[in-house]
Coordinates of all heavy atoms in Angstrom, one line a residue:
M1 N 106.7 172.6 87.0 CA 107.0 172.6 88.4 C 108.1 171.6 88.7 O 108.1 170.5 88.3 CB 105.7 172.2 89.1 CG 105.7 172.5 90.6 SD 104.1 172.1 91.4 CE 104.2 170.4 91.7
A2 N 109.1 172.1 89.4 CA 110.3 171.3 89.8 C 110.0 170.4 91.0 O 109.4 170.8 91.9 CB 111.5 172.2 90.0
K3 N 110.4 169.2 90.8 CA 110.2 168.2 92.0 C 111.5 168.3 92.8 O 112.6 168.3 92.3 CB 110.0 166.8 91.4 CG 108.6 166.4 91.3 CD 108.7 164.9 90.9 CE 107.3 164.3 90.8 NZ 107.4 162.9 90.4
S4 N 111.3 168.3 94.1 CA 112.5 168.2 95.0 C 113.0 166.8 95.0 O 112.3 165.9 94.8 CB 112.1 168.7 96.4 OG 111.3 167.7 97.0
K5 N 114.3 166.7 95.3 CA 114.9 165.4 95.4 C 114.3 164.6 96.6 O 114.1 163.4 96.5 CB 116.4 165.5 95.5 CG 117.1 164.2 95.4 CD 118.6 164.3 95.6 CE 119.3 162.9 95.5 NZ 118.7 162.0 96.5
E6 N 114.0 165.3 97.6 CA 113.4 164.7 98.8 C 112.1 164.0 98.4 O 111.9 162.9 98.9 CB 113.2 165.8 99.8 CG 113.3 165.3 101.3 CD 113.3 166.5 102.2 OE1 114.1 167.4 102.1 OE2 112.4 166.5 103.0
Q7 N 111.3 164.7 97.6 CA 110.0 164.1 97.3 C 110.2 162.9 96.4 O 109.5 161.9 96.6 CB 109.3 165.2 96.4 CG 107.8 164.8 96.1 CD 106.9 165.2 97.3 OE1 107.0 166.3 97.8 NE2 106.1 164.3 97.8
D8 N 111.2 162.9 95.5 CA 111.5 161.7 94.7 C 111.9 160.6 95.6 O 111.4 159.4 95.4 CB 112.6 162.0 93.7 CG 112.0 162.7 92.5 OD1 110.8 162.8 92.3 OD2 112.8 163.3 91.7
D9 N 112.8 160.8 96.5 CA 113.2 159.7 97.4 C 112.1 159.2 98.2 O 112.0 157.9 98.4 CB 114.3 160.3 98.4 CG 115.6 160.5 97.6 OD1 115.8 160.0 96.5 OD2 116.5 161.1 98.2
L10 N 111.2 160.0 98.6 CA 110.0 159.6 99.4 C 109.1 158.7 98.5 O 108.7 157.6 99.0 CB 109.3 160.8 99.9 CG 108.5 160.7 101.1 CD1 109.4 160.5 102.3 CD2 107.6 162.0 101.4
N11 N 108.9 159.1 97.3 CA 108.1 158.3 96.4 C 108.7 157.0 96.2 O 108.0 155.9 96.1 CB 107.9 159.1 95.1 CG 106.9 160.2 95.2 OD1 106.0 160.2 96.1 ND2 107.0 161.2 94.3
K12 N 110.0 157.0 96.0 CA 110.7 155.7 95.7 C 110.6 154.8 96.8 O 110.3 153.6 96.7 CB 112.2 156.0 95.3 CG 112.8 155.0 94.5 CD 114.2 155.5 94.0 CE 115.0 154.3 93.5 NZ 116.3 154.1 94.2
A13 N 110.8 155.3 98.0 CA 110.8 154.5 99.2 C 109.4 153.9 99.4 O 109.2 152.8 99.8 CB 111.2 155.3 100.5
F14 N 108.4 154.8 99.1 CA 107.0 154.3 99.2 C 106.7 153.2 98.3 O 106.1 152.1 98.6 CB 106.1 155.5 98.9 CG 104.6 155.2 98.9 CD1 104.0 154.7 100.1 CD2 103.9 155.3 97.8 CE1 102.7 154.4 100.1 CE2 102.5 155.0 97.8 CZ 101.9 154.5 99.0
L15 N 107.1 153.3 97.0 CA 106.9 152.3 96.0 C 107.6 151.0 96.4 O 107.1 149.9 96.2 CB 107.4 152.8 94.6 CG 106.5 153.8 94.0 CD1 107.1 154.4 92.7 CD2 105.1 153.3 93.7
E16 N 108.9 151.1 96.9 CA 109.6 150.0 97.3 C 109.0 149.2 98.4 O 108.9 148.0 98.5 CB 111.1 150.4 97.7 CG 111.9 150.5 96.4 CD 113.3 151.1 96.7 OE1 113.6 151.4 97.9 OE2 114.1 151.2 95.8
S17 N 108.4 150.0 99.4 CA 107.7 149.4 100.5 C 106.5 148.6 100.0 O 106.2 147.5 100.5 CB 107.4 150.4 101.6 OG 106.3 151.1 101.2
L18 N 105.8 149.1 99.0 CA 104.7 148.4 98.5 C 105.1 147.1 97.8 O 104.5 146.1 98.0 CB 104.0 149.3 97.4 CG 103.1 150.5 97.9 CD1 102.5 151.1 96.6 CD2 102.0 150.0 98.8
D19 N 106.2 147.2 97.1 CA 106.7 146.0 96.5 C 107.0 144.9 97.5 O 106.8 143.7 97.3 CB 108.0 146.3 95.6 CG 107.6 146.9 94.3 OD1 106.4 146.9 94.0 OD2 108.5 147.4 93.6
E20 N 107.7 145.3 98.6 CA 108.1 144.3 99.6 C 106.8 143.7 100.2 O 106.8 142.5 100.5 CB 108.9 145.0 100.7 CG 110.3 145.2 100.2 CD 111.1 146.2 101.2 OE1 110.6 146.3 102.3 OE2 112.0 146.8 100.7
E21 N 105.8 144.5 100.5 CA 104.7 143.9 101.2 C 103.8 143.0 100.2 O 103.2 142.1 100.7 CB 103.8 145.0 101.7 CG 104.3 145.6 103.0 CD 103.6 146.9 103.4 OE1 102.5 147.1 102.9 OE2 104.2 147.7 104.1
D22 N 103.9 143.3 98.9 CA 103.0 142.7 98.0 C 103.7 142.4 96.7 O 103.3 142.9 95.7 CB 101.7 143.6 97.8 CG 100.6 142.9 97.1 OD1 100.7 141.6 97.0 OD2 99.7 143.6 96.6
P23 N 104.7 141.5 96.7 CA 105.5 141.4 95.5 C 104.8 140.8 94.3 O 105.2 141.0 93.2 CB 106.6 140.4 96.0 CG 106.1 139.7 97.2 CD 105.1 140.7 97.8
F24 N 103.7 140.0 94.6 CA 103.0 139.4 93.4 C 101.6 140.0 93.2 O 100.8 139.4 92.5 CB 102.9 137.9 93.7 CG 104.2 137.2 93.9 CD1 104.6 136.7 95.1 CD2 105.1 137.1 92.8 CE1 105.8 136.1 95.3 CE2 106.4 136.5 93.0 CZ 106.7 136.0 94.3
G25 N 101.3 141.1 93.9 CA 100.0 141.7 93.7 C 98.9 140.9 94.3 O 97.8 141.0 93.8
L26 N 99.2 140.1 95.3 CA 98.2 139.2 95.8 C 97.2 139.9 96.7 O 96.1 139.4 97.0 CB 98.9 138.0 96.6 CG 99.7 137.1 95.8 CD1 100.4 136.1 96.7 CD2 98.9 136.3 94.8
N27 N 97.6 141.0 97.2 CA 96.7 141.8 98.1 C 95.7 142.7 97.4 O 95.2 143.6 98.0 CB 97.5 142.5 99.1 CG 98.1 141.6 100.1 OD1 97.7 140.5 100.3 ND2 99.3 142.0 100.6
E28 N 95.6 142.5 96.1 CA 94.6 143.4 95.4 C 93.2 143.1 95.9 O 92.9 142.0 96.4 CB 94.6 143.0 93.9 CG 95.7 143.8 93.1 CD 95.7 143.4 91.6 OE1 94.6 143.4 91.1 OE2 96.7 143.0 91.1
D29 N 92.4 144.1 95.9 CA 91.1 144.0 96.5 C 90.2 143.1 95.7 O 89.6 143.5 94.7 CB 90.5 145.4 96.6 CG 89.4 145.4 97.6 OD1 89.2 144.5 98.3 OD2 88.7 146.4 97.6
I30 N 90.2 141.8 96.0 CA 89.4 140.9 95.3 C 88.0 140.7 96.0 O 88.0 140.4 97.2 CB 90.1 139.5 95.2 CG1 91.3 139.7 94.4 CG2 89.1 138.5 94.6 CD1 92.2 138.4 94.3
K31 N 87.0 140.9 95.3 CA 85.7 140.8 95.9 C 85.3 139.3 95.9 O 85.4 138.7 94.9 CB 84.7 141.6 95.1 CG 83.4 141.9 95.9 CD 82.5 142.8 95.1 CE 81.1 142.8 95.7 NZ 80.1 143.4 94.8
I32 N 84.8 138.9 97.0 CA 84.3 137.5 97.1 C 82.8 137.4 97.1 O 82.2 138.1 97.8 CB 84.9 136.8 98.4 CG1 86.4 136.8 98.4 CG2 84.4 135.4 98.6 CD1 87.1 136.0 97.4
L33 N 82.3 136.5 96.3 CA 80.8 136.3 96.2 C 80.5 135.0 96.8 O 81.3 134.0 96.7 CB 80.3 136.4 94.8 CG 80.6 137.7 94.0 CD1 80.2 137.5 92.6 CD2 79.9 138.8 94.6
I34 N 79.4 134.9 97.5 CA 79.0 133.7 98.1 C 78.0 132.9 97.2 O 77.0 133.5 96.7 CB 78.2 133.9 99.5 CG1 79.1 134.8 100.4 CG2 77.8 132.6 100.2 CD1 80.4 134.1 100.8
F35 N 78.3 131.7 97.0 CA 77.4 130.8 96.2 C 76.8 129.7 97.1 O 77.5 129.2 98.0 CB 78.2 130.2 95.0 CG 78.3 131.0 93.8 CD1 79.0 132.2 93.8 CD2 77.6 130.7 92.6 CE1 79.0 133.0 92.7 CE2 77.6 131.5 91.5 CZ 78.3 132.6 91.5
K36 N 75.6 129.4 96.8 CA 74.9 128.4 97.6 C 74.4 127.3 96.7 O 73.9 127.5 95.6 CB 73.7 129.0 98.3 CG 73.1 128.1 99.4 CD 72.2 128.9 100.3 CE 71.8 128.0 101.5 NZ 71.0 128.6 102.5
C37 N 74.7 126.1 97.2 CA 74.3 124.9 96.4 C 72.8 124.7 96.4 O 72.2 124.7 97.5 CB 75.0 123.6 96.9 SG 74.6 122.2 96.0
L38 N 72.2 124.5 95.3 CA 70.7 124.2 95.2 C 70.4 122.8 95.7 O 69.3 122.5 96.0 CB 70.2 124.4 93.8 CG 70.4 125.8 93.1 CD1 70.0 125.7 91.7 CD2 69.7 126.8 93.9
D39 N 71.4 121.9 95.7 CA 71.2 120.5 96.0 C 71.5 120.2 97.4 O 70.7 119.5 98.1 CB 72.0 119.6 95.0 CG 71.5 119.9 93.6 OD1 70.4 119.6 93.3 OD2 72.4 120.3 92.8
C40 N 72.6 120.6 97.9 CA 73.0 120.2 99.3 C 73.0 121.4 100.2 O 73.1 121.3 101.5 CB 74.4 119.5 99.3 SG 75.8 120.6 99.0
G41 N 72.8 122.6 99.7 CA 72.6 123.8 100.6 C 73.9 124.4 101.2 O 73.9 125.3 101.9
K42 N 75.0 123.8 100.8 CA 76.3 124.3 101.3 C 76.7 125.5 100.6 O 76.3 125.8 99.4 CB 77.4 123.2 101.2 CG 77.2 122.2 102.3 CD 78.4 121.2 102.3 CE 78.2 120.2 103.4 NZ 79.0 119.0 103.3
E43 N 77.5 126.3 101.2 CA 78.0 127.6 100.6 C 79.5 127.6 100.3 O 80.2 126.9 100.9 CB 77.7 128.8 101.5 CG 76.2 129.0 101.7 CD 75.9 130.2 102.6 OE1 76.8 130.7 103.3 OE2 74.7 130.6 102.6
D44 N 79.8 128.3 99.2 CA 81.2 128.3 98.8 C 81.5 129.8 98.4 O 80.7 130.5 97.9 CB 81.5 127.4 97.7 CG 82.9 127.1 97.5 OD1 83.7 127.3 98.5 OD2 83.3 126.7 96.4
E45 N 82.8 130.2 98.6 CA 83.2 131.5 98.2 C 83.8 131.5 96.9 O 84.7 130.7 96.6 CB 84.2 132.1 99.3 CG 83.5 132.3 100.6 CD 84.6 132.7 101.6 OE1 85.8 132.7 101.4 OE2 84.1 133.2 102.7
V46 N 83.4 132.4 96.0 CA 83.9 132.4 94.6 C 84.4 133.8 94.4 O 83.6 134.8 94.5 CB 82.9 132.0 93.6 CG1 83.5 132.0 92.2 CG2 82.3 130.6 93.9
P47 N 85.7 134.0 94.0 CA 86.1 135.4 93.6 C 85.3 135.9 92.5 O 84.9 135.2 91.5 CB 87.6 135.2 93.2 CG 88.0 133.8 93.7 CD 86.7 133.0 93.8
E48 N 85.0 137.3 92.5 CA 84.2 137.9 91.6 C 84.7 137.7 90.1 O 84.0 137.5 89.2 CB 84.0 139.4 91.9 CG 82.9 140.0 91.0 CD 82.8 141.5 91.4 OE1 83.8 142.2 91.6 OE2 81.6 141.9 91.5
Y49 N 86.0 137.8 90.0 CA 86.6 137.7 88.6 C 86.3 136.3 88.0 O 86.1 136.2 86.8 CB 88.1 138.0 88.6 CG 89.0 137.0 89.2 CD1 89.5 135.9 88.6 CD2 89.4 137.2 90.6 CE1 90.3 135.0 89.2 CE2 90.2 136.3 91.2 CZ 90.7 135.2 90.5 OH 91.5 134.3 91.1
V50 N 86.2 135.3 88.8 CA 85.8 133.9 88.3 C 84.4 133.9 87.9 O 84.0 133.4 86.8 CB 86.1 132.9 89.4 CG1 85.5 131.5 88.9 CG2 87.5 132.8 89.8
V51 N 83.5 134.6 88.7 CA 82.1 134.6 88.3 C 81.9 135.4 87.0 O 81.1 135.0 86.2 CB 81.3 135.4 89.5 CG1 79.9 135.5 89.1 CG2 81.5 134.6 90.8
E52 N 82.7 136.5 86.9 CA 82.6 137.2 85.6 C 83.0 136.4 84.4 O 82.4 136.5 83.3 CB 83.4 138.5 85.7 CG 82.7 139.6 86.5 CD 83.6 140.8 86.8 OE1 84.8 140.8 86.3 OE2 83.2 141.7 87.4
E53 N 84.0 135.5 84.6 CA 84.4 134.7 83.5 C 83.2 133.7 83.1 O 82.9 133.5 82.0 CB 85.6 133.9 83.9 CG 86.9 134.6 83.6 CD 88.1 133.8 84.0 OE1 88.1 132.6 83.8 OE2 89.1 134.4 84.4
F54 N 82.6 133.1 84.2 CA 81.5 132.2 84.0 C 80.3 132.9 83.3 O 79.6 132.3 82.5 CB 81.0 131.6 85.3 CG 81.8 130.4 85.7 CD1 82.7 130.4 86.7 CD2 81.6 129.2 85.0 CE1 83.5 129.3 87.1 CE2 82.4 128.0 85.4 CZ 83.3 128.1 86.4
G55 N 80.1 134.2 83.7 CA 79.0 134.9 83.2 C 79.2 135.6 81.9 O 78.3 136.3 81.4
F56 N 80.3 135.4 81.3 CA 80.7 136.2 80.1 C 79.7 136.0 79.0 O 79.3 137.0 78.3 CB 82.1 135.8 79.7 CG 82.7 136.7 78.6 CD1 83.0 138.0 78.9 CD2 82.8 136.2 77.3 CE1 83.5 138.8 77.9 CE2 83.3 137.0 76.3 CZ 83.6 138.3 76.6
D57 N 79.3 134.8 78.7 CA 78.4 134.6 77.6 C 77.0 134.2 78.0 O 76.3 133.5 77.2 CB 79.0 133.6 76.6 CG 79.5 132.3 77.2 OD1 79.1 132.0 78.3 OD2 80.4 131.7 76.7
L58 N 76.6 134.6 79.1 CA 75.2 134.4 79.6 C 74.4 135.6 79.1 O 74.9 136.7 79.0 CB 75.1 134.3 81.1 CG 75.7 133.0 81.7 CD1 75.5 133.1 83.2 CD2 75.1 131.8 81.2
D59 N 73.1 135.3 79.0 CA 72.1 136.4 78.8 C 72.0 137.2 80.1 O 72.3 136.7 81.1 CB 70.8 135.9 78.3 CG 70.8 135.3 76.9 OD1 71.8 135.7 76.2 OD2 70.0 134.5 76.5
E60 N 71.4 138.4 80.0 CA 71.3 139.3 81.1 C 70.5 138.6 82.2 O 70.7 138.8 83.4 CB 70.6 140.6 80.7 CG 71.7 141.7 80.5 CD 71.0 143.0 80.1 OE1 70.1 143.4 80.8 OE2 71.4 143.5 79.0
N61 N 69.4 137.9 81.8 CA 68.5 137.3 82.9 C 69.0 135.9 83.3 O 68.3 135.3 84.1 CB 67.1 137.2 82.4 CG 67.0 136.4 81.1 OD1 68.0 136.1 80.4 ND2 65.7 136.1 80.7
E62 N 70.1 135.4 82.8 CA 70.6 134.1 83.3 C 71.6 134.3 84.4 O 72.3 135.3 84.5 CB 71.4 133.4 82.1 CG 70.4 132.8 81.1 CD 71.2 132.0 80.1 OE1 71.9 132.6 79.3 OE2 71.1 130.7 80.1
E63 N 71.5 133.3 85.3 CA 72.4 133.4 86.5 C 73.6 132.6 86.3 O 73.5 131.5 85.7 CB 71.6 133.0 87.8 CG 70.7 134.0 88.2 CD 70.1 133.6 89.6 OE1 70.9 133.5 90.5 OE2 68.9 133.4 89.7
V64 N 74.7 133.0 86.9 CA 75.9 132.2 86.8 C 75.7 131.0 87.7 O 75.3 131.0 88.8 CB 77.1 133.0 87.3 CG1 78.4 132.1 87.3 CG2 77.4 134.2 86.4
E65 N 76.1 129.8 87.1 CA 76.0 128.6 87.9 C 77.4 127.9 87.9 O 78.1 127.9 86.9 CB 75.0 127.6 87.3 CG 73.6 128.1 87.3 CD 72.6 127.1 86.6 OE1 73.1 126.2 85.9 OE2 71.4 127.3 86.7
V66 N 77.8 127.5 89.1 CA 79.0 126.8 89.2 C 78.8 125.4 89.8 O 77.7 125.2 90.4 CB 80.1 127.5 90.1 CG1 80.4 128.9 89.5 CG2 79.6 127.7 91.5
V67 N 79.7 124.5 89.6 CA 79.5 123.1 90.1 C 79.9 123.1 91.6 O 80.9 123.6 92.0 CB 80.4 122.2 89.3 CG1 80.3 120.8 89.9 CG2 80.0 122.1 87.8
C68 N 79.0 122.5 92.4 CA 79.2 122.4 93.8 C 80.4 121.5 94.1 O 80.5 120.3 93.6 CB 78.0 121.8 94.5 SG 78.2 121.5 96.2
P69 N 81.4 121.9 94.9 CA 82.6 121.1 95.2 C 82.2 120.0 96.2 O 83.0 119.1 96.3 CB 83.6 122.1 95.8 CG 82.7 123.2 96.3 CD 81.5 123.3 95.4
F70 N 81.1 120.0 96.8 CA 80.7 119.1 97.8 C 79.9 117.9 97.2 O 80.1 116.7 97.6 CB 79.9 119.7 98.9 CG 80.6 120.9 99.6 CD1 80.3 122.2 99.2 CD2 81.7 120.7 100.5 CE1 80.9 123.3 99.8 CE2 82.3 121.8 101.0 CZ 82.0 123.0 100.7
C71 N 79.0 118.2 96.3 CA 78.1 117.1 95.8 C 78.0 117.2 94.3 O 77.2 116.4 93.7 CB 76.7 117.3 96.4 SG 75.8 118.7 95.8
N72 N 78.8 118.0 93.6 CA 78.7 118.2 92.2 C 77.3 118.7 91.7 O 77.0 118.5 90.5 CB 79.1 116.8 91.4 CG 80.5 116.5 91.6 OD1 81.4 117.4 91.5 ND2 80.9 115.3 91.7
G73 N 76.6 119.2 92.6 CA 75.3 119.8 92.2 C 75.5 121.2 91.6 O 76.6 121.6 91.2
T74 N 74.4 122.0 91.6 CA 74.5 123.3 91.0 C 74.5 124.4 92.0 O 73.6 124.4 92.9 CB 73.2 123.5 90.1 OG1 73.2 122.5 89.1 CG2 73.3 124.9 89.3
M75 N 75.4 125.3 91.9 CA 75.5 126.4 92.9 C 75.1 127.7 92.2 O 75.6 127.9 91.0 CB 76.9 126.5 93.5 CG 77.3 125.4 94.4 SD 78.9 125.8 95.2 CE 78.3 125.8 96.9
R76 N 74.4 128.5 92.9 CA 74.0 129.8 92.3 C 74.4 130.9 93.4 O 74.5 130.6 94.6 CB 72.6 129.9 92.0 CG 72.2 129.3 90.7 CD 70.8 129.7 90.3 NE 70.5 129.0 89.0 CZ 69.3 128.8 88.6 NH1 68.3 129.2 89.3 NH2 69.0 128.1 87.5
Q77 N 74.6 132.1 92.9 CA 75.0 133.1 93.9 C 73.9 133.3 94.9 O 72.7 133.4 94.6 CB 75.2 134.5 93.1 CG 75.9 135.5 93.9 CD 76.2 136.8 93.2 OE1 76.3 136.8 92.0 NE2 76.3 137.8 93.9
A78 N 74.3 133.3 96.2 CA 73.4 133.5 97.3 C 72.9 135.0 97.3 O 73.6 135.9 97.0 CB 74.1 133.2 98.6
K79 N 71.6 135.1 97.6 CA 71.0 136.4 97.6 C 71.3 137.2 98.8 O 71.3 138.4 98.8 CB 69.4 136.3 97.5 CG 69.0 135.5 96.2 CD 69.4 136.3 94.9 CE 69.0 135.4 93.7 NZ 69.8 135.8 92.5
E80 N 71.5 136.5 99.9 CA 71.8 137.2 101.2 C 73.3 137.0 101.4 O 73.9 136.0 101.3 CB 71.0 136.5 102.3 CG 69.5 136.8 102.2 CD 68.8 136.0 103.2 OE1 69.3 135.6 104.2 OE2 67.6 135.7 102.9
Y81 N 73.9 138.1 101.9 CA 75.3 138.1 102.2 C 75.5 138.1 103.7 O 74.8 138.9 104.4 CB 76.0 139.3 101.5 CG 75.9 139.3 100.0 CD1 74.8 139.9 99.4 CD2 76.8 138.7 99.3 CE1 74.7 139.9 98.0 CE2 76.7 138.7 97.9 CZ 75.7 139.3 97.3 OH 75.6 139.3 95.9
P82 N 76.5 137.3 104.1 CA 76.8 137.4 105.5 C 77.5 138.7 105.9 O 78.2 139.3 105.0 CB 77.8 136.3 105.7 CG 78.4 136.0 104.4 CD 77.3 136.4 103.4
K83 N 77.2 139.2 107.0 CA 77.7 140.6 107.4 C 79.1 140.5 108.2 O 79.3 139.5 108.8 CB 76.7 141.3 108.1 CG 75.5 141.6 107.3 CD 74.7 142.7 107.8 CE 73.6 143.1 106.7 NZ 72.4 143.7 107.2
Ligands
ZN101 ZN1 76.1 120.7 96.8

């Protein structure tokens, strides 16, 4: 199937516009997980890819824990998500 030149130009313009809007790929759809501190009760947002790194060598029934930035306590993923 032959591609028309018009179509090619359109695709090129489309790709270029994507590059301009997002030159470093920062607008990728990053899922944010909410973590809650067991010690001080404060919440923090942690990108999912960070959580996956933390959880890489955990057993299935273990939960990812991160250090609380407020009190250096233990944060775990919150069960309830804000809407
Ligand atoms: Zn804390």
